[in-house]
Amino acid sequence: MDNIEIINVFTEKDKKFNRLMVERALMDEQKVQGAERRGGKMPMPEQMGTGLYQERNYDFTSEIINDFRRKWGILQ
Amino acid sequence: MIQAECYSDDYQTMLKKNCADNIEQFGYQFEKIRVLYENFGFIYPEECNTNYRDSWFHYRKLYKKKDIESISNEKYGLEEHLLRAAKDAQINFLQQVGQLLEVWYHNDTLLECELSNENTYQGILERITEKNWVANVWELSEQNEELFSNVCVYYYRTKLNSDDLKQKLQELLHGLKNLILDLRLGGVNIYRPVDNIQYFRECVSVYNDICASLEEKEVIYLVSATGVIRKNCGK
């Protein structure tokens, strides 16, 4: 393992700058990030907030619900 | 009652020693790959640490189990977790670098530069004094992300971009993607490298190639800043 040589073109200052850039890019990404790949919790989008199921806007268009009702004969 | 078949004490000791050696070897590999992550400022994936931790759970169970089947299960479980920890770290690193390099390879279609402030960009570029010109531009643009991003794209297009660079980026991206495929397919192949760190060697070799060729072309300093630049100059 010791004979594996890693070329280092970055100074300590460069590495700090690189980290800063990666973190800045991630800050915005995390706001819109969905579920983690595995084992992670699924964060609720910010606009959902807390509240009752009925009060939440799930962004389902009423057309989908109407189609569903028509298909299965569910009356209003 | 049928008594479960057991390994001899000596053989069990040897298995435990082999497993301990594997854990130790992963530690050395971790030290090396951490350097790659730190150089680019990337975040080391959490899953790799949990896989490493889980390998210890299997190691601990080796001391509780006695029958051949249970010991074999723990041994393979340990090896599998270590293998996944190492592979995930390598693939994640290669994917991150690949995604960032692709932005510059396809910069014509992915990035756009606001040219109305060209004089300001040139003014900043004339004041660059440091080798890491990207960090220098960040200071000179007073940490204004939009200005910084536009200056970087402007400089890349006017000074760095060339057919030669595009060809090099293509070669590097092909190398990265081939290695990712090898790593992924390795899991379903019967072939297993005799040397446990063969893929890691190849990973470092790709990294060294990227650093050596892109440092010469001044593009290496752009890699970690690509996310911020794309956020501000993305089409």
Side-chain angles (χ1 to χ4, degrees), chain A residues 1 3-7 9 14-15 17-19 21-22 24 26 28 38, chain B residues 32 39-43 84 88 132 145 197 201 207-208 215 224 228 231:
Chain A
M1 187 63 76
N3 58 7
I4 296 179
E5 279 189 32
I6 297 172
I7 294 180
V9 295
D14 293 341
K15 288 179 200 170
F17 173 73
N18 286 345
R19 183 68 171 197
M21 289 291 110
V22 169
R24 274 187 172 251
L26 277 176
D28 290 311
R38 66 168 180 258
Chain B
K32 292 276 184 185
N39 285 351
F40 278 125
F42 295 158
I43 292 162
R84 279 173 62 180
D88 280 1
N132 185 343
E145 274 192 16
I197 54 167
R201 275 181 210 281
Y207 169 86
N208 284 344
E215 185 194 19
S224 300
V228 170
K231 189 175 72 184

PDB file of all heavy atoms in Angstrom, chain A residues 1 3-7 9 14-15 17-19 21-22 24 26 28 38, chain B residues 32 39-43 84 88 132 145 197 201 207-208 215 224 228 231:
ATOM      1  N   MET A   1       0.829  -1.220   0.000  1.00  0.00           N
ATOM      2  CA  MET A   1       0.000   0.000   0.000  1.00  0.00           C
ATOM      3  C   MET A   1       0.859   1.264   0.000  1.00  0.00           C
ATOM      4  O   MET A   1       0.506   2.273  -0.586  1.00  0.00           O
ATOM      5  CB  MET A   1      -0.911  -0.034   1.230  1.00  0.00           C
ATOM      6  CG  MET A   1      -1.934   1.066   1.295  1.00  0.00           C
ATOM      7  SD  MET A   1      -3.162   1.071  -0.023  1.00  0.00           S
ATOM      8  CE  MET A   1      -4.234  -0.255   0.476  1.00  0.00           C
ATOM      9  N   ASN A   3       3.528   1.798  -1.523  1.00  0.00           N
ATOM     10  CA  ASN A   3       4.119   2.165  -2.809  1.00  0.00           C
ATOM     11  C   ASN A   3       3.117   2.828  -3.761  1.00  0.00           C
ATOM     12  O   ASN A   3       3.444   3.101  -4.901  1.00  0.00           O
ATOM     13  CB  ASN A   3       4.792   0.961  -3.478  1.00  0.00           C
ATOM     14  CG  ASN A   3       3.806  -0.164  -3.683  1.00  0.00           C
ATOM     15  OD1 ASN A   3       2.616   0.008  -3.455  1.00  0.00           O
ATOM     16  ND2 ASN A   3       4.292  -1.314  -4.121  1.00  0.00           N
ATOM     17  N   ILE A   4       1.894   3.079  -3.282  1.00  0.00           N
ATOM     18  CA  ILE A   4       0.925   3.799  -4.118  1.00  0.00           C
ATOM     19  C   ILE A   4       1.153   5.297  -3.912  1.00  0.00           C
ATOM     20  O   ILE A   4       0.943   5.813  -2.816  1.00  0.00           O
ATOM     21  CB  ILE A   4      -0.529   3.426  -3.745  1.00  0.00           C
ATOM     22  CG1 ILE A   4      -0.765   1.951  -4.036  1.00  0.00           C
ATOM     23  CG2 ILE A   4      -1.517   4.284  -4.516  1.00  0.00           C
ATOM     24  CD1 ILE A   4      -2.153   1.468  -3.677  1.00  0.00           C
ATOM     25  N   GLU A   5       1.588   5.938  -4.968  1.00  0.00           N
ATOM     26  CA  GLU A   5       1.886   7.371  -4.844  1.00  0.00           C
ATOM     27  C   GLU A   5       0.756   8.214  -5.404  1.00  0.00           C
ATOM     28  O   GLU A   5       0.265   7.965  -6.498  1.00  0.00           O
ATOM     29  CB  GLU A   5       3.184   7.690  -5.574  1.00  0.00           C
ATOM     30  CG  GLU A   5       4.390   7.356  -4.731  1.00  0.00           C
ATOM     31  CD  GLU A   5       5.674   7.864  -5.333  1.00  0.00           C
ATOM     32  OE1 GLU A   5       5.642   8.911  -6.001  1.00  0.00           O
ATOM     33  OE2 GLU A   5       6.688   7.182  -5.157  1.00  0.00           O
ATOM     34  N   ILE A   6       0.357   9.211  -4.626  1.00  0.00           N
ATOM     35  CA  ILE A   6      -0.717  10.104  -5.060  1.00  0.00           C
ATOM     36  C   ILE A   6      -0.100  11.461  -5.396  1.00  0.00           C
ATOM     37  O   ILE A   6       0.551  12.074  -4.548  1.00  0.00           O
ATOM     38  CB  ILE A   6      -1.781  10.257  -3.949  1.00  0.00           C
ATOM     39  CG1 ILE A   6      -2.431   8.895  -3.664  1.00  0.00           C
ATOM     40  CG2 ILE A   6      -2.827  11.284  -4.337  1.00  0.00           C
ATOM     41  CD1 ILE A   6      -3.351   8.880  -2.459  1.00  0.00           C
ATOM     42  N   ILE A   7      -0.312  11.887  -6.624  1.00  0.00           N
ATOM     43  CA  ILE A   7       0.211  13.202  -7.032  1.00  0.00           C
ATOM     44  C   ILE A   7      -0.589  14.260  -6.287  1.00  0.00           C
ATOM     45  O   ILE A   7      -1.823  14.217  -6.258  1.00  0.00           O
ATOM     46  CB  ILE A   7       0.045  13.432  -8.546  1.00  0.00           C
ATOM     47  CG1 ILE A   7       0.919  12.459  -9.339  1.00  0.00           C
ATOM     48  CG2 ILE A   7       0.382  14.873  -8.921  1.00  0.00           C
ATOM     49  CD1 ILE A   7       0.804  12.633 -10.847  1.00  0.00           C
ATOM     50  N   VAL A   9      -1.343  18.140  -6.324  1.00  0.00           N
ATOM     51  CA  VAL A   9      -1.153  19.430  -6.998  1.00  0.00           C
ATOM     52  C   VAL A   9      -1.750  20.575  -6.179  1.00  0.00           C
ATOM     53  O   VAL A   9      -1.593  21.730  -6.532  1.00  0.00           O
ATOM     54  CB  VAL A   9      -1.789  19.424  -8.410  1.00  0.00           C
ATOM     55  CG1 VAL A   9      -1.095  18.441  -9.315  1.00  0.00           C
ATOM     56  CG2 VAL A   9      -3.271  19.138  -8.356  1.00  0.00           C
ATOM     57  N   ASP A  14      -5.470  25.547  -1.157  1.00  0.00           N
ATOM     58  CA  ASP A  14      -6.292  25.089  -2.290  1.00  0.00           C
ATOM     59  C   ASP A  14      -7.351  24.098  -1.819  1.00  0.00           C
ATOM     60  O   ASP A  14      -8.501  24.137  -2.251  1.00  0.00           O
ATOM     61  CB  ASP A  14      -5.430  24.395  -3.354  1.00  0.00           C
ATOM     62  CG  ASP A  14      -4.468  25.348  -4.037  1.00  0.00           C
ATOM     63  OD1 ASP A  14      -4.701  26.566  -3.970  1.00  0.00           O
ATOM     64  OD2 ASP A  14      -3.479  24.866  -4.629  1.00  0.00           O
ATOM     65  N   LYS A  15      -6.935  23.184  -0.925  1.00  0.00           N
ATOM     66  CA  LYS A  15      -7.869  22.159  -0.454  1.00  0.00           C
ATOM     67  C   LYS A  15      -9.027  22.786   0.325  1.00  0.00           C
ATOM     68  O   LYS A  15     -10.174  22.365   0.191  1.00  0.00           O
ATOM     69  CB  LYS A  15      -7.137  21.152   0.444  1.00  0.00           C
ATOM     70  CG  LYS A  15      -6.213  20.226  -0.320  1.00  0.00           C
ATOM     71  CD  LYS A  15      -5.512  19.295   0.645  1.00  0.00           C
ATOM     72  CE  LYS A  15      -4.267  18.698   0.035  1.00  0.00           C
ATOM     73  NZ  LYS A  15      -3.450  17.984   1.007  1.00  0.00           N
ATOM     74  N   PHE A  17     -10.154  25.774  -0.125  1.00  0.00           N
ATOM     75  CA  PHE A  17     -10.983  26.454  -1.120  1.00  0.00           C
ATOM     76  C   PHE A  17     -11.879  25.424  -1.836  1.00  0.00           C
ATOM     77  O   PHE A  17     -13.077  25.666  -2.037  1.00  0.00           O
ATOM     78  CB  PHE A  17     -10.099  27.191  -2.132  1.00  0.00           C
ATOM     79  CG  PHE A  17     -10.869  27.767  -3.282  1.00  0.00           C
ATOM     80  CD1 PHE A  17     -11.674  28.890  -3.107  1.00  0.00           C
ATOM     81  CD2 PHE A  17     -10.816  27.174  -4.543  1.00  0.00           C
ATOM     82  CE1 PHE A  17     -12.409  29.400  -4.168  1.00  0.00           C
ATOM     83  CE2 PHE A  17     -11.543  27.688  -5.598  1.00  0.00           C
ATOM     84  CZ  PHE A  17     -12.341  28.809  -5.415  1.00  0.00           C
ATOM     85  N   ASN A  18     -11.301  24.287  -2.203  1.00  0.00           N
ATOM     86  CA  ASN A  18     -12.071  23.228  -2.873  1.00  0.00           C
ATOM     87  C   ASN A  18     -13.244  22.782  -2.006  1.00  0.00           C
ATOM     88  O   ASN A  18     -14.353  22.591  -2.482  1.00  0.00           O
ATOM     89  CB  ASN A  18     -11.174  22.025  -3.185  1.00  0.00           C
ATOM     90  CG  ASN A  18     -10.239  22.301  -4.346  1.00  0.00           C
ATOM     91  OD1 ASN A  18     -10.427  23.257  -5.085  1.00  0.00           O
ATOM     92  ND2 ASN A  18      -9.224  21.466  -4.512  1.00  0.00           N
ATOM     93  N   ARG A  19     -12.967  22.610  -0.708  1.00  0.00           N
ATOM     94  CA  ARG A  19     -14.022  22.180   0.220  1.00  0.00           C
ATOM     95  C   ARG A  19     -15.129  23.236   0.306  1.00  0.00           C
ATOM     96  O   ARG A  19     -16.314  22.917   0.321  1.00  0.00           O
ATOM     97  CB  ARG A  19     -13.394  21.945   1.594  1.00  0.00           C
ATOM     98  CG  ARG A  19     -14.347  21.418   2.637  1.00  0.00           C
ATOM     99  CD  ARG A  19     -14.759  20.019   2.308  1.00  0.00           C
ATOM    100  NE  ARG A  19     -15.504  19.412   3.394  1.00  0.00           N
ATOM    101  CZ  ARG A  19     -15.703  18.127   3.520  1.00  0.00           C
ATOM    102  NH1 ARG A  19     -15.231  17.299   2.636  1.00  0.00           N
ATOM    103  NH2 ARG A  19     -16.395  17.641   4.510  1.00  0.00           N
ATOM    104  N   MET A  21     -16.007  25.341  -1.975  1.00  0.00           N
ATOM    105  CA  MET A  21     -16.786  25.310  -3.214  1.00  0.00           C
ATOM    106  C   MET A  21     -17.768  24.137  -3.222  1.00  0.00           C
ATOM    107  O   MET A  21     -18.930  24.285  -3.587  1.00  0.00           O
ATOM    108  CB  MET A  21     -15.849  25.193  -4.431  1.00  0.00           C
ATOM    109  CG  MET A  21     -15.039  26.417  -4.733  1.00  0.00           C
ATOM    110  SD  MET A  21     -16.073  27.777  -5.342  1.00  0.00           S
ATOM    111  CE  MET A  21     -16.025  28.911  -3.989  1.00  0.00           C
ATOM    112  N   VAL A  22     -17.279  22.964  -2.790  1.00  0.00           N
ATOM    113  CA  VAL A  22     -18.143  21.775  -2.768  1.00  0.00           C
ATOM    114  C   VAL A  22     -19.296  21.986  -1.786  1.00  0.00           C
ATOM    115  O   VAL A  22     -20.452  21.679  -2.093  1.00  0.00           O
ATOM    116  CB  VAL A  22     -17.314  20.521  -2.384  1.00  0.00           C
ATOM    117  CG1 VAL A  22     -18.213  19.331  -2.100  1.00  0.00           C
ATOM    118  CG2 VAL A  22     -16.346  20.165  -3.509  1.00  0.00           C
ATOM    119  N   ARG A  24     -20.607  24.842  -0.806  1.00  0.00           N
ATOM    120  CA  ARG A  24     -21.528  25.855  -1.328  1.00  0.00           C
ATOM    121  C   ARG A  24     -22.466  25.255  -2.373  1.00  0.00           C
ATOM    122  O   ARG A  24     -23.646  25.587  -2.424  1.00  0.00           O
ATOM    123  CB  ARG A  24     -20.752  27.018  -1.953  1.00  0.00           C
ATOM    124  CG  ARG A  24     -20.367  28.053  -0.923  1.00  0.00           C
ATOM    125  CD  ARG A  24     -19.767  29.273  -1.579  1.00  0.00           C
ATOM    126  NE  ARG A  24     -19.575  30.307  -0.593  1.00  0.00           N
ATOM    127  CZ  ARG A  24     -20.283  31.419  -0.534  1.00  0.00           C
ATOM    128  NH1 ARG A  24     -21.220  31.658  -1.415  1.00  0.00           N
ATOM    129  NH2 ARG A  24     -20.053  32.311   0.403  1.00  0.00           N
ATOM    130  N   LEU A  26     -23.295  22.102  -2.513  1.00  0.00           N
ATOM    131  CA  LEU A  26     -24.169  21.135  -1.839  1.00  0.00           C
ATOM    132  C   LEU A  26     -25.301  21.813  -1.072  1.00  0.00           C
ATOM    133  O   LEU A  26     -26.383  21.276  -0.968  1.00  0.00           O
ATOM    134  CB  LEU A  26     -23.355  20.294  -0.854  1.00  0.00           C
ATOM    135  CG  LEU A  26     -22.602  19.104  -1.436  1.00  0.00           C
ATOM    136  CD1 LEU A  26     -21.773  18.450  -0.356  1.00  0.00           C
ATOM    137  CD2 LEU A  26     -23.554  18.092  -2.044  1.00  0.00           C
ATOM    138  N   ASP A  28     -27.216  24.217  -1.815  1.00  0.00           N
ATOM    139  CA  ASP A  28     -28.416  24.375  -2.625  1.00  0.00           C
ATOM    140  C   ASP A  28     -28.995  23.042  -3.056  1.00  0.00           C
ATOM    141  O   ASP A  28     -30.187  22.888  -3.148  1.00  0.00           O
ATOM    142  CB  ASP A  28     -28.105  25.222  -3.860  1.00  0.00           C
ATOM    143  CG  ASP A  28     -27.842  26.644  -3.449  1.00  0.00           C
ATOM    144  OD1 ASP A  28     -28.652  27.181  -2.686  1.00  0.00           O
ATOM    145  OD2 ASP A  28     -26.815  27.205  -3.852  1.00  0.00           O
ATOM    146  N   ARG A  38     -29.938   4.801   0.382  1.00  0.00           N
ATOM    147  CA  ARG A  38     -30.426   3.704   1.207  1.00  0.00           C
ATOM    148  C   ARG A  38     -30.221   4.025   2.681  1.00  0.00           C
ATOM    149  O   ARG A  38     -29.282   4.700   3.050  1.00  0.00           O
ATOM    150  CB  ARG A  38     -29.779   2.382   0.840  1.00  0.00           C
ATOM    151  CG  ARG A  38     -28.311   2.319   1.113  1.00  0.00           C
ATOM    152  CD  ARG A  38     -27.856   0.869   0.988  1.00  0.00           C
ATOM    153  NE  ARG A  38     -26.444   0.842   1.259  1.00  0.00           N
ATOM    154  CZ  ARG A  38     -25.526   0.755   0.306  1.00  0.00           C
ATOM    155  NH1 ARG A  38     -25.858   0.700  -0.942  1.00  0.00           N
ATOM    156  NH2 ARG A  38     -24.256   0.750   0.623  1.00  0.00           N
TER     157      ARG A  38
ATOM    158  N   LYS B  32      -5.548   6.287   2.327  1.00  0.00           N
ATOM    159  CA  LYS B  32      -5.146   6.758   0.996  1.00  0.00           C
ATOM    160  C   LYS B  32      -6.304   7.413   0.254  1.00  0.00           C
ATOM    161  O   LYS B  32      -6.154   8.479  -0.333  1.00  0.00           O
ATOM    162  CB  LYS B  32      -4.603   5.588   0.152  1.00  0.00           C
ATOM    163  CG  LYS B  32      -3.298   5.027   0.650  1.00  0.00           C
ATOM    164  CD  LYS B  32      -2.129   5.831   0.125  1.00  0.00           C
ATOM    165  CE  LYS B  32      -0.811   5.199   0.555  1.00  0.00           C
ATOM    166  NZ  LYS B  32       0.346   5.990   0.166  1.00  0.00           N
ATOM    167  N   ASN B  39      -8.344  16.181  -1.244  1.00  0.00           N
ATOM    168  CA  ASN B  39      -7.721  17.059  -2.248  1.00  0.00           C
ATOM    169  C   ASN B  39      -8.761  17.821  -3.051  1.00  0.00           C
ATOM    170  O   ASN B  39      -8.594  19.006  -3.328  1.00  0.00           O
ATOM    171  CB  ASN B  39      -6.825  16.243  -3.183  1.00  0.00           C
ATOM    172  CG  ASN B  39      -5.534  15.841  -2.500  1.00  0.00           C
ATOM    173  OD1 ASN B  39      -5.223  16.299  -1.401  1.00  0.00           O
ATOM    174  ND2 ASN B  39      -4.770  14.983  -3.133  1.00  0.00           N
ATOM    175  N   PHE B  40      -9.833  17.147  -3.429  1.00  0.00           N
ATOM    176  CA  PHE B  40     -10.884  17.825  -4.186  1.00  0.00           C
ATOM    177  C   PHE B  40     -11.956  18.440  -3.281  1.00  0.00           C
ATOM    178  O   PHE B  40     -12.884  19.070  -3.775  1.00  0.00           O
ATOM    179  CB  PHE B  40     -11.551  16.861  -5.171  1.00  0.00           C
ATOM    180  CG  PHE B  40     -10.788  16.681  -6.457  1.00  0.00           C
ATOM    181  CD1 PHE B  40     -10.418  15.437  -6.901  1.00  0.00           C
ATOM    182  CD2 PHE B  40     -10.452  17.786  -7.231  1.00  0.00           C
ATOM    183  CE1 PHE B  40      -9.723  15.276  -8.093  1.00  0.00           C
ATOM    184  CE2 PHE B  40      -9.760  17.635  -8.423  1.00  0.00           C
ATOM    185  CZ  PHE B  40      -9.391  16.377  -8.857  1.00  0.00           C
ATOM    186  N   GLY B  41     -11.861  18.202  -1.981  1.00  0.00           N
ATOM    187  CA  GLY B  41     -12.846  18.753  -1.043  1.00  0.00           C
ATOM    188  C   GLY B  41     -14.158  17.982  -1.048  1.00  0.00           C
ATOM    189  O   GLY B  41     -15.166  18.469  -0.547  1.00  0.00           O
ATOM    190  N   PHE B  42     -14.161  16.783  -1.600  1.00  0.00           N
ATOM    191  CA  PHE B  42     -15.387  15.983  -1.660  1.00  0.00           C
ATOM    192  C   PHE B  42     -15.725  15.422  -0.277  1.00  0.00           C
ATOM    193  O   PHE B  42     -14.854  15.265   0.567  1.00  0.00           O
ATOM    194  CB  PHE B  42     -15.242  14.794  -2.618  1.00  0.00           C
ATOM    195  CG  PHE B  42     -15.064  15.176  -4.064  1.00  0.00           C
ATOM    196  CD1 PHE B  42     -14.477  14.293  -4.963  1.00  0.00           C
ATOM    197  CD2 PHE B  42     -15.485  16.411  -4.535  1.00  0.00           C
ATOM    198  CE1 PHE B  42     -14.316  14.632  -6.297  1.00  0.00           C
ATOM    199  CE2 PHE B  42     -15.325  16.752  -5.868  1.00  0.00           C
ATOM    200  CZ  PHE B  42     -14.737  15.874  -6.751  1.00  0.00           C
ATOM    201  N   ILE B  43     -17.002  15.078  -0.113  1.00  0.00           N
ATOM    202  CA  ILE B  43     -17.449  14.497   1.156  1.00  0.00           C
ATOM    203  C   ILE B  43     -17.430  12.971   1.041  1.00  0.00           C
ATOM    204  O   ILE B  43     -18.010  12.415   0.107  1.00  0.00           O
ATOM    205  CB  ILE B  43     -18.854  15.024   1.524  1.00  0.00           C
ATOM    206  CG1 ILE B  43     -18.720  16.518   1.861  1.00  0.00           C
ATOM    207  CG2 ILE B  43     -19.457  14.256   2.688  1.00  0.00           C
ATOM    208  CD1 ILE B  43     -19.993  17.289   1.820  1.00  0.00           C
ATOM    209  N   ARG B  84     -17.579  -3.777  -0.199  1.00  0.00           N
ATOM    210  CA  ARG B  84     -18.546  -2.735  -0.565  1.00  0.00           C
ATOM    211  C   ARG B  84     -18.096  -1.369  -0.089  1.00  0.00           C
ATOM    212  O   ARG B  84     -18.283  -0.369  -0.782  1.00  0.00           O
ATOM    213  CB  ARG B  84     -19.923  -3.069   0.012  1.00  0.00           C
ATOM    214  CG  ARG B  84     -20.657  -4.076  -0.849  1.00  0.00           C
ATOM    215  CD  ARG B  84     -21.928  -4.536  -0.221  1.00  0.00           C
ATOM    216  NE  ARG B  84     -22.877  -3.448  -0.024  1.00  0.00           N
ATOM    217  CZ  ARG B  84     -24.066  -3.620   0.523  1.00  0.00           C
ATOM    218  NH1 ARG B  84     -24.442  -4.802   0.927  1.00  0.00           N
ATOM    219  NH2 ARG B  84     -24.886  -2.606   0.672  1.00  0.00           N
ATOM    220  N   ASP B  88     -17.629   1.286  -2.954  1.00  0.00           N
ATOM    221  CA  ASP B  88     -18.501   2.474  -2.923  1.00  0.00           C
ATOM    222  C   ASP B  88     -17.673   3.749  -2.872  1.00  0.00           C
ATOM    223  O   ASP B  88     -17.997   4.735  -3.527  1.00  0.00           O
ATOM    224  CB  ASP B  88     -19.446   2.426  -1.706  1.00  0.00           C
ATOM    225  CG  ASP B  88     -20.637   1.515  -1.960  1.00  0.00           C
ATOM    226  OD1 ASP B  88     -20.700   0.925  -3.048  1.00  0.00           O
ATOM    227  OD2 ASP B  88     -21.497   1.397  -1.066  1.00  0.00           O
ATOM    228  N   ASN B 132      -3.230  29.068  -8.504  1.00  0.00           N
ATOM    229  CA  ASN B 132      -4.623  28.640  -8.456  1.00  0.00           C
ATOM    230  C   ASN B 132      -5.487  29.835  -8.840  1.00  0.00           C
ATOM    231  O   ASN B 132      -5.974  30.586  -7.992  1.00  0.00           O
ATOM    232  CB  ASN B 132      -4.971  28.129  -7.047  1.00  0.00           C
ATOM    233  CG  ASN B 132      -6.378  27.553  -6.979  1.00  0.00           C
ATOM    234  OD1 ASN B 132      -7.213  27.796  -7.855  1.00  0.00           O
ATOM    235  ND2 ASN B 132      -6.647  26.792  -5.937  1.00  0.00           N
ATOM    236  N   GLU B 145     -20.742  35.059  -6.021  1.00  0.00           N
ATOM    237  CA  GLU B 145     -20.809  33.782  -6.781  1.00  0.00           C
ATOM    238  C   GLU B 145     -21.103  33.977  -8.255  1.00  0.00           C
ATOM    239  O   GLU B 145     -20.521  33.318  -9.114  1.00  0.00           O
ATOM    240  CB  GLU B 145     -21.892  32.875  -6.184  1.00  0.00           C
ATOM    241  CG  GLU B 145     -21.417  32.032  -5.046  1.00  0.00           C
ATOM    242  CD  GLU B 145     -22.411  30.942  -4.664  1.00  0.00           C
ATOM    243  OE1 GLU B 145     -23.320  30.638  -5.448  1.00  0.00           O
ATOM    244  OE2 GLU B 145     -22.275  30.412  -3.550  1.00  0.00           O
ATOM    245  N   ILE B 197      -6.050  -4.786  -3.691  1.00  0.00           N
ATOM    246  CA  ILE B 197      -6.090  -3.343  -3.925  1.00  0.00           C
ATOM    247  C   ILE B 197      -5.872  -2.987  -5.402  1.00  0.00           C
ATOM    248  O   ILE B 197      -5.553  -1.848  -5.721  1.00  0.00           O
ATOM    249  CB  ILE B 197      -5.079  -2.594  -3.031  1.00  0.00           C
ATOM    250  CG1 ILE B 197      -3.678  -3.177  -3.212  1.00  0.00           C
ATOM    251  CG2 ILE B 197      -5.498  -2.622  -1.577  1.00  0.00           C
ATOM    252  CD1 ILE B 197      -2.597  -2.304  -2.624  1.00  0.00           C
ATOM    253  N   ARG B 201      -5.559   0.772  -6.911  1.00  0.00           N
ATOM    254  CA  ARG B 201      -4.389   1.238  -7.669  1.00  0.00           C
ATOM    255  C   ARG B 201      -4.833   1.933  -8.949  1.00  0.00           C
ATOM    256  O   ARG B 201      -4.326   3.004  -9.309  1.00  0.00           O
ATOM    257  CB  ARG B 201      -3.516   0.050  -8.082  1.00  0.00           C
ATOM    258  CG  ARG B 201      -2.531  -0.405  -7.066  1.00  0.00           C
ATOM    259  CD  ARG B 201      -1.729  -1.578  -7.631  1.00  0.00           C
ATOM    260  NE  ARG B 201      -1.316  -2.465  -6.583  1.00  0.00           N
ATOM    261  CZ  ARG B 201      -0.291  -2.233  -5.781  1.00  0.00           C
ATOM    262  NH1 ARG B 201       0.424  -1.151  -5.943  1.00  0.00           N
ATOM    263  NH2 ARG B 201       0.020  -3.075  -4.823  1.00  0.00           N
ATOM    264  N   TYR B 207      -6.720   9.148 -11.055  1.00  0.00           N
ATOM    265  CA  TYR B 207      -6.627  10.437 -10.355  1.00  0.00           C
ATOM    266  C   TYR B 207      -5.322  11.152 -10.718  1.00  0.00           C
ATOM    267  O   TYR B 207      -5.319  12.349 -11.020  1.00  0.00           O
ATOM    268  CB  TYR B 207      -6.702  10.204  -8.837  1.00  0.00           C
ATOM    269  CG  TYR B 207      -6.344  11.427  -8.024  1.00  0.00           C
ATOM    270  CD1 TYR B 207      -7.307  12.384  -7.718  1.00  0.00           C
ATOM    271  CD2 TYR B 207      -5.034  11.639  -7.578  1.00  0.00           C
ATOM    272  CE1 TYR B 207      -6.976  13.526  -6.999  1.00  0.00           C
ATOM    273  CE2 TYR B 207      -4.695  12.770  -6.858  1.00  0.00           C
ATOM    274  CZ  TYR B 207      -5.668  13.704  -6.575  1.00  0.00           C
ATOM    275  OH  TYR B 207      -5.333  14.835  -5.867  1.00  0.00           O
ATOM    276  N   ASN B 208      -4.226  10.401 -10.695  1.00  0.00           N
ATOM    277  CA  ASN B 208      -2.927  11.002 -11.016  1.00  0.00           C
ATOM    278  C   ASN B 208      -2.897  11.530 -12.444  1.00  0.00           C
ATOM    279  O   ASN B 208      -2.338  12.603 -12.715  1.00  0.00           O
ATOM    280  CB  ASN B 208      -1.806   9.979 -10.813  1.00  0.00           C
ATOM    281  CG  ASN B 208      -1.495   9.765  -9.346  1.00  0.00           C
ATOM    282  OD1 ASN B 208      -1.876  10.563  -8.495  1.00  0.00           O
ATOM    283  ND2 ASN B 208      -0.821   8.676  -9.029  1.00  0.00           N
ATOM    284  N   GLU B 215      -3.524  19.892 -14.636  1.00  0.00           N
ATOM    285  CA  GLU B 215      -2.762  20.960 -13.980  1.00  0.00           C
ATOM    286  C   GLU B 215      -2.012  21.759 -15.047  1.00  0.00           C
ATOM    287  O   GLU B 215      -1.992  22.991 -15.040  1.00  0.00           O
ATOM    288  CB  GLU B 215      -1.757  20.394 -12.978  1.00  0.00           C
ATOM    289  CG  GLU B 215      -1.049  21.515 -12.193  1.00  0.00           C
ATOM    290  CD  GLU B 215       0.173  21.022 -11.445  1.00  0.00           C
ATOM    291  OE1 GLU B 215       0.695  19.945 -11.784  1.00  0.00           O
ATOM    292  OE2 GLU B 215       0.612  21.746 -10.537  1.00  0.00           O
ATOM    293  N   SER B 224     -13.404  21.453  -8.535  1.00  0.00           N
ATOM    294  CA  SER B 224     -14.248  21.515  -7.332  1.00  0.00           C
ATOM    295  C   SER B 224     -15.223  22.680  -7.362  1.00  0.00           C
ATOM    296  O   SER B 224     -16.246  22.648  -6.675  1.00  0.00           O
ATOM    297  CB  SER B 224     -13.373  21.609  -6.079  1.00  0.00           C
ATOM    298  OG  SER B 224     -12.551  20.479  -6.006  1.00  0.00           O
ATOM    299  N   VAL B 228     -20.678  25.211  -8.111  1.00  0.00           N
ATOM    300  CA  VAL B 228     -21.057  26.615  -7.888  1.00  0.00           C
ATOM    301  C   VAL B 228     -21.197  27.332  -9.231  1.00  0.00           C
ATOM    302  O   VAL B 228     -22.152  28.095  -9.454  1.00  0.00           O
ATOM    303  CB  VAL B 228     -19.973  27.331  -7.015  1.00  0.00           C
ATOM    304  CG1 VAL B 228     -20.196  28.827  -6.979  1.00  0.00           C
ATOM    305  CG2 VAL B 228     -19.992  26.759  -5.605  1.00  0.00           C
ATOM    306  N   LYS B 231     -24.315  26.310 -11.029  1.00  0.00           N
ATOM    307  CA  LYS B 231     -25.511  26.865 -10.366  1.00  0.00           C
ATOM    308  C   LYS B 231     -25.799  28.284 -10.882  1.00  0.00           C
ATOM    309  O   LYS B 231     -26.929  28.676 -11.054  1.00  0.00           O
ATOM    310  CB  LYS B 231     -25.231  26.897  -8.846  1.00  0.00           C
ATOM    311  CG  LYS B 231     -26.428  27.241  -8.002  1.00  0.00           C
ATOM    312  CD  LYS B 231     -26.076  27.112  -6.537  1.00  0.00           C
ATOM    313  CE  LYS B 231     -25.154  28.220  -6.078  1.00  0.00           C
ATOM    314  NZ  LYS B 231     -24.708  28.086  -4.691  1.00  0.00           N
TER     315      LYS B 231
END
